[in-house]
């Protein structure tokens, strides 16, 4: 990747479901080696944006370029290109519950890269160590782990193939504040160690401040503000201000029916 | 909406669903042919679908064979044709009851399990995760299940045929005073290869349909536990209907040739 080409470039991205237009022209650049956090309320299209970028959803309109390559046509070749370059941590961890923890971490190595079980297991144990889990955890089933441990395993799985771009979907949702901070630290640590570009979505402001080089806010299908974490308190944008401070009153109206 | 518009929209949606299902089945089968083929997933499915279905298929077959022998004997007594019991029993089981009953039992056990497992994977984003890990879910989840069920059903049906006939044999020999050796010789002389082969062809088609229904409804499930529950229910009903309808179509071809 070059200095001038952003790792990810999104232009005029539109995506809707029946009559519900979720993304209405998103423009977004993420430079190589930077960590961008997209914040926004529930239902504003953060997950849809992430799934469009990673190739799990086909956008209705607009372009997505990764390292200068247009991947918005959603072809098989685009899919292969993206899966080769990226890793993702899912909101609910999305571990395969029929496989052991180490087989989850080594899933890509075993099934896509066709590594031997011995080599894949060694790499999986190494990745588990990088997220603070002991080798014994590798032989457990995912159902035997706590939510925080499952997130760590999911992070280990995402980094197992040394991806150039990492995506984090609500990485701290459902965790207590201490475990959330542990996960945030691990994300910062692993992204730096890999020298990767990171895109995260969250509505957890503590997490956003910790892991972001830049924060962007998505509202009504568009990016309405973007800046450094220390600028967000004085963004000058009333919607960002309301979201950051978690106020019910303000320009963002929630659809709550009063009896 | 008037009755014509309703009929039209239901027909169009039915055709659309059939097209989606055919597309899914084709993609699933083709994924297995083009490879890579996940042998570990295949053998695991073969074990779960084939081996663990043996007790229920065997029990169904033995009781069906026994009851069928009694019914054939009782019916054929009316025109003094009770000596044909072994022939009628064997052709009924090998051509029709063996494949259909075994398939219905496997559909109840396995189409529901496939829909529930794949549906849960869908709603918990495990299928999305698989895609991001450079593994095609059609190749890893669908193709091994289709191959395993298509292979397992003929083997199960062959076993069900033998057990079903044995159930009839027990009733005939120990309850109706038939001679054991004569019973077996009559069946051996009467049954033709095409009877057995037609039953096994039916079984393979039923196996394919069971896997497609289970996987298709699981793969398309949405909306949490309720969605998975609905997918499971629909998969079993669709598999049973597909078995019975395709059985008629195949039988009508097979009796002509």
């Amino acid at each position: 990747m070059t200095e001038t080409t952003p790792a990810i470039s999104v232009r005029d991205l539109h995506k809707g479901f029946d009559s519900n237009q979720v993304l209405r022209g998103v423009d977004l650049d993420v430079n190589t080696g930077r960590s961008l956090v997209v914040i926004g309320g529930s239902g504003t299209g953060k997950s849809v944006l992430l799934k469009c970028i990673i190739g799990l959803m086909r956008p209705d309109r607009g372009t997505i370029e990764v390292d200068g390559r247009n991947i918005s046509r959603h072809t098989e070749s685009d899919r292969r290109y993206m899966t080769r370059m990226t890793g993702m941590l899912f909101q609910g961890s999305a571990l395969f519950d029929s496989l052991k923890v180490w087989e989850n971490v080594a899933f890509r190595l075993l099934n896509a890269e066709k590594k031997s079980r011995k080599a894949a297991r060694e790499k999986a144990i190494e990745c588990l160590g990088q997220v603070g889990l002991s080798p014994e955890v590798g032989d457990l089933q995912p159902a035997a782990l706590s939510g925080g441990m499952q997130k760590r395993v999911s992070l280990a799985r995402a980094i197992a193939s040394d991806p150039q771009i990492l995506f984090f979907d609500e990485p701290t949702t459902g965790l207590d504040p201490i475990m959330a901070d542990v996960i945030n630290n691990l994300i910062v640590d692993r992204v730096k160690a890999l020298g990767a570009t990171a895109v995260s979505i969250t509505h957890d402001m503590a997490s956003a401040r910790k892991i972001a080089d830049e924060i962007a806010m998505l509202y009504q299908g568009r990016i309405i503000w973007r800046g450094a974490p220390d600028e967000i308190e004085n963004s000058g944008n009333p919607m960002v201000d309301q979201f950051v401070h978690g106020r019910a009153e303000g320009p963002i109206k929630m659809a709550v029916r009063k009896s | 909406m008037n009755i014509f518009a309703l009929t039209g929209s239901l027909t169009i949606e039915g055709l659309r669903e059939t097209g989606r299902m055919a597309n899914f089945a084709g993609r699933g089968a083709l994924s297995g042919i083009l490879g890579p083929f996940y042998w570990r997933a295949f053998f695991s499915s073969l074990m779960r679908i084939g081996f663990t279905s043996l007790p229920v298929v065997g029990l169904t077959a033995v009781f069906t064979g026994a009851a069928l022998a009694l019914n054939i004997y009782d019916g054929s007594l009316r025109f003094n044709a009770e000596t044909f019991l072994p022939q009628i029993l064997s052709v009924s089981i090998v051509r029709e009851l063996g494949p259909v009953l075994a398939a219905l039992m496997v559909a109840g056990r396995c189409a529901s399990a496939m829909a529930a497992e794949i549906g849960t994977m869908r709603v918990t984003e495990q299928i999305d995760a698989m895609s991001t890990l450079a593994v095609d879910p059609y190749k890893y989840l669908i193709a091994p299940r289709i191959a395993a069920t298509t292979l397992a059903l003929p083997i199960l049906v062959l076993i069900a045929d033998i057990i079903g006939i044995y159930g009839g044999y027990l009733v005939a020999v120990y309850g109706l005073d038939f001679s054991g050796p004569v019973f077996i010789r009559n069946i051996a002389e009467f049954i033709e290869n095409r009877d057995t082969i037609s039953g096994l062809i039916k079984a393979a088609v039923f196996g394919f349909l069971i896997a497609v229904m289970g996987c298709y409804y699981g793969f398309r499930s949405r909306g949490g536990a309720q969605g998975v529950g609905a997918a499971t229910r629909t998969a079993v009903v669709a598999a049973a209907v597909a078995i019975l309808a395709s059985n008629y179509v195949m039988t009508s071809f097979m009796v002509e040739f």
Side-chain angles (χ1 to χ4, degrees):
Chain A
M1 285 178 226
T2 61
E3 282 293 320
T4 51
T5 309
I8 299 168
S9 176
V10 176
R11 289 286 171 274
D12 194 33
L13 196 71
H14 286 73
K15 177 70 185 172
F17 302 93
D18 300 325
S19 60
N20 180 23
Q21 194 62 36
V22 180
L23 303 180
R24 302 161 188 243
V26 173
D27 293 308
L28 197 66
D29 284 337
V30 188
N31 287 330
T32 304
R34 302 282 287 173
S35 174
L36 174 77
V37 174
V38 179
I39 59 170
S42 301
T44 51
K46 302 188 301 295
S47 291
V48 173
L49 172 63
L50 206 61
K51 286 183 176 178
C52 285
I53 296 173
I54 204 164
L56 292 172
M57 276 182 188
R58 187 195 294 266
D60 298 335
R61 190 146 54 92
T63 58
I64 302 164
E65 290 184 1
V66 174
D67 197 17
R69 173 181 169 143
N70 186 351
I71 53 116
S72 40
R73 287 183 299 270
H74 216 83
T75 62
E76 186 58 28
S77 150
D78 293 337
R79 194 184 70 81
R80 276 202 300 272
Y81 176 76
M82 280 304 284
T83 54
R84 206 166 50 237
M85 291 189 67
T86 60
M88 180 157 174
L89 185 151
F90 285 81
Q91 184 177 351
S93 299
L95 299 176
F96 307 121
D97 42 22
S98 59
L99 302 179
K100 289 179 180 173
V101 164
W102 81 264
E103 289 171 321
N104 266 279
V105 176
F107 190 80
R108 184 202 296 248
L109 306 174
L110 286 169
N111 298 295
E113 298 175 15
K114 299 291 176 193
K115 292 254 166 58
S116 70
R117 285 182 74 78
K118 185 169 179 289
R121 187 186 161 90
E122 280 170 10
K123 178 71 179 175
I125 298 297
E126 181 193 324
C127 291
L128 286 170
Q130 287 169 358
V131 297
L133 293 172
S134 65
E136 293 75 47
V137 173
D139 288 319
L140 300 175
Q141 295 294 132
L145 306 180
S146 68
M149 286 171 89
Q150 289 189 6
K151 290 270 182 180
R152 291 200 217 185
V153 173
S154 190
L155 178 58
R157 183 174 69 179
I159 62 173
S161 290
D162 303 327
Q164 294 174 40
I165 302 173
L166 278 161
F167 296 94
F168 300 102
D169 183 0
E170 309 272 7
T172 55
T173 298
L175 301 179
D176 67 74
I178 297 169
M179 182 51 76
D181 202 44
V182 169
I183 296 292
N184 289 334
N185 286 339
L186 284 170
I187 288 173
V188 172
D189 177 52
R190 288 297 94 205
V191 168
K192 280 198 177 134
L194 288 168
T197 306
V199 179
S200 315
I201 58 171
T202 186
H203 45 228
D204 175 355
M205 285 312 300
S207 176
R209 287 190 183 96
K210 188 107 186 198
I211 64 181
D213 294 324
E214 281 185 288
I215 297 176
M217 179 155 165
L218 189 65
Y219 179 64
Q220 291 190 334
R222 292 189 185 89
I223 299 293
I224 57 163
W225 181 86
R226 181 173 178 161
D230 55 7
E231 294 169 356
I232 201 163
E233 293 294 337
N234 304 302
S235 65
N237 184 316
M239 283 169 282
V240 176
D241 203 40
Q242 183 190 355
F243 184 84
V244 168
H245 294 101
R247 289 195 290 261
E249 286 77 30
I252 302 173
K253 302 291 180 202
M254 290 288 165
V256 179
R257 206 170 79 181
K258 293 189 176 159
S259 55
Chain B
M1 189 184 278
N2 68 42
I3 186 77
F4 296 108
L6 186 67
T7 309
S9 67
L10 286 175
T11 307
I12 289 168
E13 187 45 42
L15 290 172
R16 220 177 254 160
E17 184 71 359
T18 309
R20 279 195 290 259
M21 209 178 279
N23 188 33
F24 179 88
R27 190 171 166 190
L30 204 63
S31 297
I33 294 163
L34 295 178
F37 190 74
Y38 293 98
W39 289 99
R40 187 175 279 267
F42 167 75
F43 284 118
S44 163
S45 297
L46 195 61
M47 195 68 180
R48 271 185 295 169
I49 295 158
F51 187 70
T52 60
S53 296
L54 262 177
V56 71
V57 168
L59 278 173
T60 308
V62 75
F63 289 123
T64 303
L68 190 62
L70 289 173
N71 274 315
I72 293 169
Y73 183 78
D74 187 53
S76 56
L77 263 184
R78 295 172 200 172
F79 42 95
N80 296 322
E82 67 274 18
T83 51
F84 291 111
L85 188 153
Q87 291 91 328
I88 299 170
L89 174 86
S90 58
V91 83
S92 306
I93 287 180
V94 170
R95 279 192 179 191
E96 196 65 36
L97 291 174
V100 171
L101 289 179
L104 288 174
M105 296 314 287
V106 173
R109 276 191 88 248
C110 301
S112 54
M114 285 182 212
E117 188 179 356
I118 295 175
T120 304
M121 291 184 77
R122 168 61 78 196
V123 301
T124 55
E125 295 187 310
Q126 291 179 48
I127 292 178
D128 286 344
M130 193 174 284
S131 298
T132 66
L133 293 166
V135 175
D136 183 349
Y138 278 87
K139 292 185 196 290
Y140 189 84
L141 293 174
I142 312 302
R145 281 171 172 78
I146 289 179
T149 322
T150 308
L151 180 69
L153 243 286
I155 299 169
L156 282 171
V157 165
L158 205 56
I159 296 168
D161 288 349
I162 294 165
I163 296 175
I165 291 172
Y166 183 65
Y169 171 91
L170 290 177
V171 167
V173 173
Y174 297 104
L176 304 171
D177 290 331
F178 273 72
S179 153
V182 173
F183 186 95
I184 291 168
R185 193 175 64 238
N186 282 353
I187 288 176
E189 285 174 0
F190 183 72
I191 284 282
E192 295 174 5
N193 282 343
R194 74 183 190 111
D195 297 323
T196 316
I197 291 167
S198 69
L200 297 182
I201 291 171
K202 278 183 180 181
V205 173
F206 295 158
F208 179 81
L209 291 172
I210 289 167
V212 167
M213 296 302 166
C215 294
Y216 175 76
Y217 285 104
F219 211 76
R220 282 178 56 81
S221 62
R222 296 282 185 277
Q226 196 178 18
V228 176
T232 307
R233 190 173 57 241
T234 313
V236 175
V237 173
V241 171
I243 288 164
L244 297 172
S246 65
N247 180 52
Y248 169 71
V249 173
M250 284 189 285
T251 305
S252 62
F253 277 106
M254 285 167 179
V255 293
E256 279 184 30
F257 298 104

